[in-house]
Amino acid sequence: MANKASVVHWFRLDLRIHDNLALRNAINEAENRQYYLRPVFIIDPDIKERVGVNRLRFLFQSLQDLDSNLRKLNSRLFILKGTADELFSKLFDQWQVKYLTSQIDIDPEIVKQDEIVDRLAEEKGIFIVRRVQHTVYDFHSVLKKNNGSVPLTYQKFLSLVKDIKVKETIEITKTLSDYCKPPDSTCEEYNVPSLNDLGIDESSLKSCKYHGGETEGLKRLNLYMEKKNWVCKFEKPNTSPNSIEPSTTVLSPYLSHGCLSSKLFYHRLKGVENGVAHSQPPVSLLGQLMWREFYYTAGAGTENFDKMVGNAVCTQIPWGKNDKYLKAWSEGMTGYPFVDAIMRQLKQEGWIHHLARHMVACFLTRGDLWISWEEGARVFEDYLLDYDWSLNAGNWMWLSASAFFYKYFRVYSPVAFGKKTDKEGLFIRKYVPELKKYPTEYIYEPWKAPKSVQRTAGCVVGEGYPQRIVDHDKIHKENMQKMAAAYKVNKEKKSLKRKLT
DNA sequence: CGGTCAGTTGAACAT
DNA sequence: CATGTTCAACTGACC
């Protein structure tokens, strides 16, 4: 057993070696004091309930890559199974931990856990270091600059960060000294488990389209940063939600897992834009990164950001409950081919284009099904590879016109919207294969096809493919009246509150 | 307090 | 095909 003190770096969503300040702090401490270095990742027993299978696969691939990158530095990853408080209450003594580093997270569950670990560490006299490294900017200083209140528009956020100089990235170049290697470094019980070890049959999953890990993340970053002209001309609204291959970078899963540093992405983008004409936020690629920062800041500064009730920025809307509709939506069985194609792509591949998210989120909430954005957010949490606590809640509030966006009467048409970028319906034919032989005329509206055409195409609506669960033209108008009523109530409440204060 | 203005990306239709 | 207008149901920041 260890007879020497240890430094622990606790990896969470910072699954990388590059630009990882907390990790470098840990390494320096271990080197300077000749302590053991133990980079750990904790796998919670109920991880399967919290993380969907595709994201689990991405996570485990990222852990595997992280382990192999740590080994190149003469270290390794120690996988621990259990809850953080139970594990640490034992290991702090057993490993003689003196110094614990990690990144700062804002997800309330992680914050709660950190408070428990803080108390535990205080009892044992362990020094804790937590670093901002999930975002470009430190949300704390941005909020302070805005007198402690949350910036509620993107432009306001941009004006707040305009003059903040972004720090340089941090690299670890030296390999670790042998004396930092704990004696149990070769122990196999700390190895990264497979999905099968967790009781998931990996062969039951769809083929892996986006492979997790720092190595893949950096490769993908380099691939896109080489296309300088493409980067400089990038305008988000002009990219396609329904191209067969993604029309955007798909760096988001790498950012959300911390396989890729957002700060590195920032500096690389600045480098490409430097001295050349380029598009601007909000539509530019750098603008996309700033959206992430905006939501992160809003999430960090708002109580109950992931809920409607008790959330100061969220308009209270009397959403209905309809489990049948919710299930049809989440399984891609609404009877609207464009909506279903998007939801099936999401479920199978774990990533959909941002505008595709707009389409299905609007459909679930204010547009058609009148179901709470919180339900949609839960399904996205399950399906998305790039799930991120504040971005998910923020975007769902945006799309349901609960916060940040208020022109609720601008509703996406499940028939017209997709046609702008895919007249032939190739995207639908791929992800809703039962309709692949439909004539282009009917591919977005198969129920309009004459029975004989449906039979010739090999799929009768109501048999091989569901009938529409709602009539968009009719129901979206009813929903607009409900939205108007909810806004009116909200306004009255606000003016009442103003009078009282 | 009130007026003004801008706000990542709607649809349908006209020119 | 790109651009502009209408539909009519908005809010937050700022002065």
Side-chain angles (χ1 to χ4, degrees), chain A residues 7-9 22-31 37 99 101:
Chain A
V7 173
V8 171
H9 174 70
L23 174 65
R24 198 180 71 172
N25 292 152
I27 290 173
N28 286 348
E29 186 72 7
E31 288 280 358
L37 178 76
Y99 196 83
T101 67

Side-chain angles (χ1 to χ4, degrees), chain A residues 339-386:
Chain A
V339 172
D340 292 343
I342 294 167
M343 289 308 292
R344 293 187 200 184
Q345 183 190 31
L346 171 61
K347 196 177 178 191
Q348 287 167 29
E349 299 175 4
W351 182 89
I352 50 176
H353 186 277
H354 187 65
L355 289 176
R357 300 179 198 208
H358 277 218
M359 176 70 246
V360 296
C362 179
F363 189 87
L364 181 77
T365 57
R366 67 191 159 89
D368 296 80
L369 303 185
W370 199 253
I371 290 173
S372 166
W373 61 268
E374 290 178 58
E375 295 288 351
R378 267 192 279 277
V379 173
F380 270 30
E381 179 174 355
D382 187 21
Y383 288 170
L384 277 173
L385 295 179
D386 61 23

Side-chain angles (χ1 to χ4, degrees), chain A residues 226-423:
Chain A
E226 275 165 23
K227 304 179 188 184
K228 295 192 171 151
N229 195 39
W230 182 84
V231 170
C232 290
K233 288 205 163 123
F234 185 94
E235 290 188 358
K236 187 60 161 280
N238 295 338
T239 59
S240 165
N242 47 4
S243 51
I244 298 298
E245 284 309 311
S247 60
T248 50
T249 63
V250 198
L251 285 170
S252 53
Y254 301 93
L255 289 167
S256 69
H257 285 81
C259 299
L260 172 64
S261 153
S262 53
K263 197 142 55 80
L264 177 63
F265 188 23
Y266 174 91
H267 285 301
R268 292 291 300 275
L269 279 171
K270 281 281 183 190
V272 171
E273 286 183 347
N274 190 27
V276 244
H278 57 82
S279 52
Q280 297 290 335
V283 296
S284 66
L285 206 48
L286 188 69
Q288 306 312 301
L289 184 58
M290 292 299 109
W291 277 104
R292 182 173 183 273
E293 299 290 317
F294 168 67
Y295 282 128
Y296 197 88
T297 307
T302 310
E303 294 269 322
N304 300 311
F305 192 66
D306 58 348
K307 297 177 183 69
M308 179 178 82
V309 176
N311 179 344
V313 303
C314 184
T315 304
Q316 307 295 302
I317 295 165
W319 303 110
K321 196 173 154 53
N322 190 323
D323 289 341
K324 229 173 76 193
Y325 283 1
L326 179 61
K327 187 161 190 284
W329 176 82
S330 62
E331 300 290 324
M333 295 292 274
T334 66
Y336 281 94
F338 186 45
V339 172
D340 292 343
I342 294 167
M343 289 308 292
R344 293 187 200 184
Q345 183 190 31
L346 171 61
K347 196 177 178 191
Q348 287 167 29
E349 299 175 4
W351 182 89
I352 50 176
H353 186 277
H354 187 65
L355 289 176
R357 300 179 198 208
H358 277 218
M359 176 70 246
V360 296
C362 179
F363 189 87
L364 181 77
T365 57
R366 67 191 159 89
D368 296 80
L369 303 185
W370 199 253
I371 290 173
S372 166
W373 61 268
E374 290 178 58
E375 295 288 351
R378 267 192 279 277
V379 173
F380 270 30
E381 179 174 355
D382 187 21
Y383 288 170
L384 277 173
L385 295 179
D386 61 23
Y387 166 75
D388 190 306
W389 180 79
S390 55
L391 274 67
N392 197 39
N395 276 307
W396 271 100
M397 282 189 271
W398 182 293
L399 264 303
S400 59
S402 301
F404 312 116
F405 171 83
Y406 306 96
K407 289 188 229 182
Y408 58 79
F409 42 87
R410 291 196 167 170
V411 172
Y412 291 86
S413 159
V415 172
F417 187 61
K419 285 185 185 172
K420 280 191 280 192
T421 41
D422 180 21
K423 273 202 179 63

Side-chain angles (χ1 to χ4, degrees), chain A residues 90-156:
Chain A
K90 270 193 301 194
L91 293 173
F92 279 170
D93 288 331
Q94 198 183 320
W95 285 353
Q96 300 181 48
V97 177
K98 301 280 182 218
Y99 196 83
L100 173 71
T101 67
S102 71
Q103 83 169 1
I104 291 175
D105 289 303
I106 60 166
D107 180 329
E109 296 211 4
I110 300 179
V111 172
K112 212 162 72 193
Q113 197 181 46
D114 279 346
E115 284 165 6
I116 298 170
V117 173
D118 276 358
R119 279 199 294 276
L120 210 58
E122 202 178 336
E123 280 170 32
K124 316 259 181 201
I126 296 167
F127 195 77
I128 292 213
V129 170
R130 271 198 205 103
R131 299 293 187 185
V132 173
Q133 50 192 20
H134 200 55
T135 46
V136 175
Y137 299 104
D138 171 9
F139 67 86
H140 203 258
S141 62
V142 177
L143 289 172
K144 214 168 114 188
K145 216 173 163 189
N146 201 36
N147 303 318
S149 65
V150 172
L152 290 169
T153 66
Y154 182 75
Q155 294 303 333
K156 180 69 189 175

Side-chain angles (χ1 to χ4, degrees), chain A residues 1-6 36 38 78 90-91 93-96 181-185 187 189-190:
Chain A
M1 212 28 78
N3 55 6
K4 204 161 105 177
S6 296
Y36 292 137
R38 295 177 185 271
F78 293 76
K90 270 193 301 194
L91 293 173
D93 288 331
Q94 198 183 320
W95 285 353
Q96 300 181 48
K181 250 183 147 169
D184 56 348
S185 272
C187 210
E189 68 169 294
Y190 299 126

Side-chain angles (χ1 to χ4, degrees), chain A residues 469-487:
Chain A
I469 56 173
V470 291
D471 180 344
H472 173 79
D473 291 339
K474 230 167 79 187
I475 207 149
H476 98 270
K477 283 184 189 140
E478 291 169 27
N479 288 349
M480 289 313 96
Q481 289 177 1
K482 291 192 209 168
M483 285 301 287
Y487 267 53

